[in-house]
Amino acid sequence: MMNDLPAHDECLPIGVDTPYRPPAWLRNPHAQTIYAACVASRPDVALRRERWNTPDGDFIDLDWLQAHEGTAYASDREHPPLIVLFHGLEGSSRSHYARTLMRAVDRRRWHGVVVHFRGCSGEPNRLARAYHSGDTVEMTWILERLRARWPGPLCAVAVSLGANVLLKWLGESGQSARGVLAAACAVSAPLDLMATGSALDRGFNRIYSWNFLRTLKRKSLAKVLRHPHVGNAQAIRAARTLKAFDDQVTSRLHGFRDAHDYWTQSSSKPWLKHIAVPTLVLNARDDPFLPACALPQPSDVSPAVTLDFPAHGGHVGFVTGRFPGSIEWLPTRVLQFIDRVMDRHKGASKAMA
C-alpha cells in the first residue's frame, strides 16, 4: 500500500510546540543521560513477541503493543498509524525510551511495535553477522514487510544507532521511501560516526564505551565459539575502545576494511539532503555522544527535514519536572510531530477529494 501524501515541496518543516527545558536539578548532560537510562521510572506495557526468519537464514524478534490488537476498522483509511521503533546500540523493548513511547502510543489508541536488531532480543542470533550503524539492507526488508502487512499509515521512530540507520535509509531511498513511511523521527542520532567515535574515547565518555563493550564483547566471544572466523578472542578481550572493537569485529563481519571505513561509509549526515519523507531530527546540543559542532545546518538537509536541537537533554535524556522527574517529554515531542504530519496528510487528502 502506498502512502497518499502531498508532494515533496509541500512537506514544509513542522514547528516546535513544546521546546525542551531541563529541570534545575538535572542540567548536566551526563546526569541527564544516565538518570533517564538507569534511574527514571519507566512504565510497564503489554507486548507480544513475534519472530521473523530473515532471508539469509537468521531471525529477528519484534515486540508488538498488545493493547489494541484485533480492533475492527470500517476501512483501511480508518486504521490508525503503526509506530515502528528501532532501538539504539544494545537496546531493546526494555529500554526506557521504548517503554515510554509504547505507553504514549497506547494512550492514543494507536498501534506500536519494537523491532529488535539481530541478537538484541535476549537470544543470540544464528549467524556470525550481527547489526551495525549502516545496515540499511536489513531495514529495507523490515520496513517493506511491515508496509505490506499494515493497511494504515506507517511511521518510524528510531533512537541513537537505530536513528543513524533510519536516516541513512531515508536518504538512500529518496522519493521511494514515501511509498513506505508517512513520517519519521530520529532521536539522538550519531550522525557523524567519526565524531561520535572520537567523543566516546575521551574523558568521562569512556563510561559509555565501557558499558557498550561489556555486552558487545560478551556476545562476540560467544560467537567465536560457534563461528571461529568472527575474530580473535584475545584481541576482542583486549579491546578498550569502540574503535578497537569495530576494527576487530564489526568491520570484519560486515564487509568493511576497518573502523574508519565502517564509520565513514555508515554515517547518515551526508544523506540528509536526499530525504523526502517528513522527518524530525532531534539531538541535544550537549549530547555526550555527538559534539554540537558536528550537527547539521539547515543547508545540510532537505526541505522535508525538521531540525530540533535543544541546548540540553544529553543522549536520549530529556528529563523534565520536579524530582524524581519524568521522561515523557520525548515521546510527546515525537508523537506531536507525527500528529502534525498526519493532519497535513488528511488536509491534502480532503483537498484532492
Side-chain angles (χ1 to χ4, degrees):
M1 174 182 173
M2 300 291 285
N3 289 317
D4 186 17
L5 289 171
H8 180 202
D9 57 4
E10 296 175 35
C11 296
L12 301 176
I14 294 171
V16 179
D17 291 335
T18 52
Y20 175 71
R21 295 184 178 87
W25 60 275
L26 200 70
R27 296 177 67 88
N28 180 275
H30 298 298
Q32 277 271 348
T33 303
I34 295 170
Y35 190 90
C38 303
V39 181
S41 176
R42 65 189 73 182
D44 289 326
V45 289
L47 301 172
R48 174 185 60 82
R49 177 151 296 185
E50 180 180 8
R51 177 159 294 184
W52 288 1
N53 289 315
T54 63
D56 61 356
D58 210 336
F59 72 89
I60 61 168
D61 288 327
L62 297 86
D63 283 354
W64 292 83
L65 184 63
Q66 281 189 308
H68 311 298
E69 289 191 327
T71 303
Y73 301 99
S75 68
D76 286 355
R77 285 187 174 273
E78 292 188 8
H79 274 77
L82 171 62
I83 306 302
V84 184
L85 175 65
F86 294 95
H87 60 76
L89 182 62
E90 295 297 272
S92 72
S93 62
R94 298 180 298 278
S95 298
H96 64 287
Y97 51 81
R99 295 284 171 166
T100 52
L101 178 64
M102 288 298 109
R103 170 61 67 86
V105 169
D106 178 21
R107 286 173 175 165
R108 289 169 180 255
R109 302 189 66 80
W110 289 0
H111 294 250
V113 61
V114 181
V115 178
H116 290 97
F117 293 120
R118 301 190 193 205
C120 290
S121 61
E123 182 178 337
N125 61 305
R126 299 175 188 135
L127 301 183
R129 66 152 294 178
Y131 65 102
H132 65 86
S133 296
D135 197 356
T136 53
V137 173
E138 186 99 307
M139 185 164 283
T140 298
W141 172 71
I142 293 168
L143 288 175
E144 288 182 348
R145 182 165 174 173
L146 287 168
R147 174 69 281 161
R149 174 171 172 172
W150 187 253
L154 193 67
C155 303
V157 178
V159 174
S160 198
L161 176 146
N164 186 79
V165 183
L166 176 62
L167 291 173
K168 186 169 181 281
W169 177 84
L170 287 164
E172 289 177 350
S173 302
Q175 289 289 341
S176 66
R178 292 166 56 80
V180 180
L181 292 180
C185 299
V187 178
S188 299
L191 301 150
D192 182 335
L193 293 173
M194 292 293 292
T196 293
S198 177
L200 289 177
D201 283 348
R202 296 197 305 265
F204 185 86
N205 286 354
R206 291 174 182 170
I207 194 172
Y208 306 120
S209 295
W210 174 84
N211 185 56
F212 290 136
L213 289 170
R214 184 170 51 87
T215 55
L216 288 169
K217 288 163 73 171
R218 184 175 67 241
K219 289 179 180 179
S220 298
L221 290 170
K223 280 181 181 288
V224 169
L225 298 177
R226 304 191 307 271
H227 311 283
H229 68 282
V230 164
N232 180 278
Q234 184 175 353
I236 293 172
R237 291 190 188 95
R240 294 290 180 268
T241 65
L242 287 175
K243 181 180 185 299
F245 180 84
D246 286 344
D247 269 330
Q248 288 294 325
V249 180
T250 313
S251 59
R252 295 185 182 188
L253 283 181
H254 303 108
F256 301 100
R257 291 191 306 274
D258 52 24
H260 185 278
D261 183 44
Y262 162 46
W263 293 350
T264 301
Q265 291 198 46
S266 298
S267 292
S268 61
K269 188 175 178 180
W271 293 98
L272 300 179
K273 283 187 175 182
H274 307 290
I275 293 176
V277 170
T279 299
L280 172 67
V281 178
L282 173 63
N283 283 67
R285 291 186 178 275
D286 66 356
D287 187 335
F289 289 34
L290 185 71
C293 62
L295 291 170
Q297 300 299 312
S299 59
D300 296 323
V301 306
S302 79
V305 175
T306 296
L307 300 177
D308 188 0
F309 299 151
H312 303 281
H315 187 75
V316 203
F318 303 108
V319 179
T320 59
R322 295 179 180 178
F323 184 85
S326 166
I327 52 175
E328 298 291 337
W329 181 88
L330 180 55
T332 300
R333 175 70 182 103
V334 164
L335 296 183
Q336 177 189 81
F337 177 85
I338 293 173
D339 268 335
R340 287 292 189 87
V341 174
M342 294 296 99
D343 288 346
R344 188 162 296 197
H345 171 36
K346 290 175 184 176
S349 297
K350 288 180 180 179
M352 291 187 290

